[in-house]
């Protein structure tokens, strides 16, 4: 029976709507994130915004505050969905290791007392990026040399292009295809915190004018103070995160690169200048996914399945380990025959 790619996917991702939405293995943390956003907004709309409507009766400003809060919250939630439910830039696994990169190790033996070279892959190789040699690593799990700036996420068990970090708050890796949405999400959350904090403070000010003292105003609307404290605390988190990623965008770095190579002097291969770096993140077209998780996969003649999206990228499916072992045996047998032939010629 034919299966879809998401049904035989080797990573730890979770899928809904038949592979159309992809999440990380810790997608349940999204519930906490949603509650942290929605609950304060509901409290604000049902208490603070309602008081502001009374204070600004006959004025459109009160309705504007309520509408801005609702619309901007929907915008933040949409950005959260785009960040957590999108393929972050997963590189499909190979069915076979790249044989053209193989070298031979004569120290390994296939038969007792007989030295025969064994195929192996170098752990790293150099590629040229913007005229500068960059070392890329071979991923044993995905059986490929990672593209520059790609890293294997241990949480999702996938290689992700332009890997930034795995964010537990959105339950997804942050990479090439969802970094823009992630930054817009945290920056918009910062603005939402500032807005609710400011409107709550304005409500306390109006109540102070009505009741004469700040203490009476606080007793009349304690939820305004609770929202101010809540927003102040979370503003340090999302605001600090926004400032940090502004620095990363301006210097064209990732979180992983910043902490991985901290204290190590290395050339800024990807830095194109502050303005061009921002253009690269916000104005460049998002590349299509290399994986069509919704597509059906087909079985090859050896009984191993493999999937391919519309652009011809090969996905990772069952049987690749067994197939690799069989290929290694075939290569080892060929090398043994060559070694025996050379020994016969020398004799």
């Amino acid at each position: 029976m034919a299966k879809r790619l998401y049904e035989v996917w080797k990573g730890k991702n979770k899928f809904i709507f038949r592979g159309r939405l992809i999440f990380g293995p810790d997608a349940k943390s999204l519930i906490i994130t949603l509650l942290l956003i929605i609950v304060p907004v509901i409290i604000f709309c049902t208490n603070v915004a309602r008081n502001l409507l009374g204070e600004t009766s006959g004025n459109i400003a009160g309705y504007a505050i309520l509408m801005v809060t609702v619309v901007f919250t929907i915008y933040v939630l949409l950005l959260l969905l785009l960040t957590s439910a999108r393929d972050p830039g997963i590189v499909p696994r190979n069915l076979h290791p790249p044989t053209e990169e193989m070298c031979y190790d004569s120290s390994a033996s296939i038969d007792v007392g007989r030295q025969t070279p064994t195929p192996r892959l170098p752990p790293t190789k150099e590629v040229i990026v913007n005229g500068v040699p960059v070392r890329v690593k071979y991923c044993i799990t995905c059986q490929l040399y990672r593209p520059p700036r790609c890293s294997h996420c241990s949480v999702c068990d996938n290689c992700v292009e332009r890997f930034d970090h795995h964010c537990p708050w959105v339950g997804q890796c942050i990479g090439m295809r969802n970094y823009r949405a992630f930054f817009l999400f945290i920056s918009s959350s910062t603005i939402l915190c500032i807005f609710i904090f400011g409107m709550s403070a304005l409500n306390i000010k109006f109540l102070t004018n009505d009741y004469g003292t700040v203490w009476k105003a606080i007793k009349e609307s304690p939820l305004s103070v609770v929202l101010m404290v809540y927003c102040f605390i979370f503003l340090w988190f999302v605001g600090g995160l926004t400032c940090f990623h502004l620095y990363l965008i301006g210097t064209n770095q990732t979180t992983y690169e910043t902490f991985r190579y901290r204290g190590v002097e290395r050339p800024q291969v990807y830095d194109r200048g502050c303005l061009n770096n921002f253009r690269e993140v916000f104005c460049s077209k998002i590349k299509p996914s290399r994986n069509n998780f919704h597509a059906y996969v087909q079985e090859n003649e050896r009984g191993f399945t493999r999937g391919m999206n519309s652009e011809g990228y090969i996905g990772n499916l069952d049987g690749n380990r067994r197939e690799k072992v069989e290929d290694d045996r075939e290569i080892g047998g060929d090398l043994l025959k060559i070694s025996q032939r050379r020994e016969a010629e020398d004799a």
Side-chain angles (χ1 to χ4, degrees), residues 110-176:
I110 295 179
D111 199 2
V112 177
R114 191 189 301 270
Q115 296 292 329
T116 305
T118 301
R120 63 179 180 84
L121 284 165
T124 62
K125 74 174 184 177
E126 284 190 349
V127 297
I128 303 300
V129 179
N130 297 329
V132 179
V134 175
R135 181 171 294 180
V136 295
K137 294 182 178 180
Y138 179 75
C139 180
I140 299 176
T141 303
C142 300
Q143 298 191 92
L144 52 81
Y145 282 101
R146 301 168 187 163
R149 314 193 85 177
C150 175
S151 183
H152 191 92
C153 175
S154 59
V155 180
C156 295
D157 198 22
N158 296 310
C159 278
V160 179
E161 289 190 270
R162 202 184 183 279
F163 178 76
D164 190 87
H165 69 289
H166 183 93
C167 181
W169 295 100
V170 303
Q172 182 63 283
C173 288
I174 307 301
M176 180 183 65

Side-chain angles (χ1 to χ4, degrees), residues 156-271:
C156 295
D157 198 22
N158 296 310
C159 278
V160 179
E161 289 190 270
R162 202 184 183 279
F163 178 76
D164 190 87
H165 69 289
H166 183 93
C167 181
W169 295 100
V170 303
Q172 182 63 283
C173 288
I174 307 301
M176 180 183 65
R177 299 191 67 252
N178 64 350
Y179 182 79
R180 182 189 303 174
F182 170 75
F183 177 80
L184 292 175
F185 166 67
I186 59 174
S187 57
S188 299
S189 299
T190 301
I191 296 173
L192 184 61
C193 281
I194 294 173
F195 180 79
I196 292 179
F197 180 91
M199 292 302 101
S200 299
L202 181 63
N203 185 49
I204 292 295
K205 180 179 181 300
F206 283 147
L207 292 175
T208 301
N209 294 336
D210 293 340
Y211 292 93
T213 64
V214 176
W215 178 246
K216 290 182 179 180
I218 293 174
K219 290 177 64 176
E220 180 66 22
S221 181
L223 289 177
S224 294
V225 180
V226 172
L227 286 174
M228 289 174 65
V229 174
Y230 178 89
C231 290
F232 180 79
I233 293 174
F234 274 87
L235 187 60
W236 282 98
F237 173 68
V238 293
L241 201 58
T242 300
C243 293
F244 175 65
H245 280 276
L246 281 172
Y247 162 75
L248 293 180
I249 295 172
T251 56
N252 207 330
Q253 298 183 74
T254 65
T255 302
Y256 176 81
E257 292 168 348
T258 302
F259 288 96
R260 172 68 175 80
Y261 302 106
R262 182 172 50 186
V264 178
E265 291 189 7
R266 59 191 183 92
Q268 297 294 331
V269 181
Y270 308 100
D271 190 359

Side-chain angles (χ1 to χ4, degrees), residues 28 33 224 290:
K28 291 182 179 179
T33 305
S224 294
R290 293 191 176 196

Side-chain angles (χ1 to χ4, degrees), residues 288-342:
S289 173
R290 293 191 176 196
N291 308 279
N292 187 358
F293 299 105
H294 182 66
Y296 283 102
V297 294
Q298 49 188 330
E299 191 171 354
N300 64 18
E301 59 184 4
R302 288 191 177 184
F304 308 123
T305 54
R306 63 180 180 179
M308 187 177 293
N309 72 351
S310 58
E311 295 189 357
Y313 293 104
I314 296 176
N316 170 52
L317 303 168
D318 293 336
N320 57 349
R321 292 186 178 178
R322 189 184 309 168
E323 191 169 15
K324 180 180 180 297
V325 172
E326 291 184 3
D327 289 343
D328 288 346
R329 288 174 179 171
E330 291 176 3
I331 294 171
D334 292 339
L335 292 172
L336 180 58
K337 291 177 182 178
I338 294 172
S339 177
Q340 290 173 345
R341 190 182 303 134
R342 287 181 178 174

